[in-house]
Amino acid sequence: MSEDKETPGRRRERLRREELKRNPTGNMNDAFNRAETGNLADLVGSLGWKGTGILILIIIIGFIVASIYLK
């Protein structure tokens, strides 16, 4: 068996990464749609580190605002 051959799983992953690089805004929409089904790993993977940081900040700010108004 040749080591140059790409397995189907590796090929799918490579194509997915290439699509993420080509279309970041569409992938953010896909990530949020995937989040509705409960797959957090795909959400974070699609957003990247900047998007994940923004998401965490929004969650923290939401908790702060909720704690202030619900006292």
Side-chain angles (χ1 to χ4, degrees):
M1 196 182 286
S2 173
E3 291 184 29
D4 295 336
K5 286 204 157 203
E6 192 174 38
T7 64
R10 289 188 187 263
R11 183 169 188 258
R12 278 192 302 272
E13 184 63 25
R14 180 179 53 82
L15 291 172
R16 187 183 70 82
R17 275 190 251 123
E18 289 174 3
E19 177 63 27
L20 287 172
K21 289 178 185 175
R22 281 194 305 261
N23 189 7
T25 56
N27 287 318
M28 186 179 300
N29 184 30
D30 290 344
F32 284 116
N33 290 337
R34 278 188 224 124
E36 291 175 0
T37 61
N39 196 345
L40 185 60
D42 282 338
L43 171 65
V44 173
S46 295
L47 289 177
W49 70 271
K50 291 178 188 175
T52 304
I54 291 170
L55 182 65
I56 291 171
L57 283 174
I58 290 171
I59 291 171
I60 291 171
I61 291 170
F63 278 124
I64 292 170
V65 169
S67 67
I68 290 171
Y69 285 112
L70 295 177
K71 279 188 174 183

